[in-house]
Amino acid sequence: MTHSRAIKIAPSILSADFAAFGAECEAIEAQGADWVHVDVMDGHFVPNITFGPQLCKAIRPHIRTVMDVHLMISPVDPYIAAFADAGADIITAHLEAGPHIHRTLQAIRAAGARAGLALNPGTPIDAVEHLLDMTDLICVMTVNPGFGGQKFIHSQIDKVRRLRAMIGDRPIHIEIDGGITPETAPLVTSAGADVLVAGSAVFKGGSVADPTPYGANIRAIRQAAESALRNAA
Ligand code: DX5
Ligand code: ZN
């Protein structure tokens, strides 16, 4: 796939109806989602438990775009093959999840997926420098991972700007995860982000039975994100 820095909206199914994941994936794609973001939590690396590779495998036939799997688990390496076999296009691991993130990123690519690297809000970007050439996406967490519906942490905007400069011409996406709304989206796209994860702001007001609010919510985030770029140009 060629690298594009066009704005992509990636709804997180953490805010979907847990009894209807397949239908929810189809609904958000029909309503304009570019990617589907899947939040895997283990109750150990983060204080919440969601789902694992079997759920990813079950929803894969309901996703036509990109299955973007965010692993908030530790350890990571024993599970990479299972998520790759489940059809993940992108597998993102946290820099804080263990001492051998370099090995983890190598293993993700070796398993045939694109490799993502996530940073908690308290993690500085210095540690990313020697990982850039093995990374396809950097996920800047703008909340502490574990739950949807938290407040955007503004101090991360400067981190995005500095990361963007560090990345230069490399084909690496900058993804923002946490607290994205039409109000916060322009702050991060003008700093250099191109993938916006949004859970509560996409799913609010809608349902599988009435998914049109998902479309309105996605359009509102996209328009705000893109207008910031136009104003900056
Ligand atoms: C948080 C997850 C996010 C979360 C975002 O740990 O990684 O993907 O679902 O939810 P909102 O958009 O509601 O902040
Ligand atoms: Zn996430």
Side-chain angles (χ1 to χ4, degrees), residues 1 6 19 23 52 93 105 112 132 152 155-156 188 195 199 205 209 212 222 231:
M1 196 184 286
L105 293 169
L132 287 176
F152 180 87
S155 62
Q156 302 306 297
V188 290
V195 185
T212 52
R222 192 190 304 282
N231 294 340

Side-chain angles (χ1 to χ4, degrees), residues 31 201-220:
Q31 294 294 326
V202 165
F203 285 91
K204 71 165 189 218
S207 66
V208 173
D210 175 22
T212 52
Y214 300 167
N217 294 338
I218 290 170
R219 279 192 299 281

Side-chain angles (χ1 to χ4, degrees), residues 36-131:
V36 176
H37 186 82
V38 184
D39 284 309
V40 176
M41 303 185 188
D42 67 353
H44 167 72
F45 180 69
V46 290
N48 192 9
I49 299 176
T50 55
F51 33 71
Q54 282 138 314
L55 188 278
C56 292
K57 192 172 206 159
I59 63 174
R60 180 70 259 193
H62 301 272
I63 297 173
R64 293 176 171 199
T65 59
V66 170
M67 186 157 85
D68 174 32
V69 177
H70 178 192
L71 298 182
M72 286 160 276
I73 67 174
S74 176
V76 178
D77 295 7
Y79 304 101
I80 291 171
F83 285 102
D85 290 346
D89 296 291
I90 302 168
I91 298 177
T92 297
H94 269 262
L95 188 133
E96 309 83 5
H100 296 295
I101 186 68
H102 189 283
R103 176 186 293 151
T104 299
L105 293 169
Q106 278 180 325
I108 293 170
R109 280 193 174 171
R114 282 182 276 164
L117 171 63
L119 307 177
N120 282 334
T123 301
I125 62 168
D126 317 31
V128 171
E129 192 181 341
H130 298 288
L131 301 169

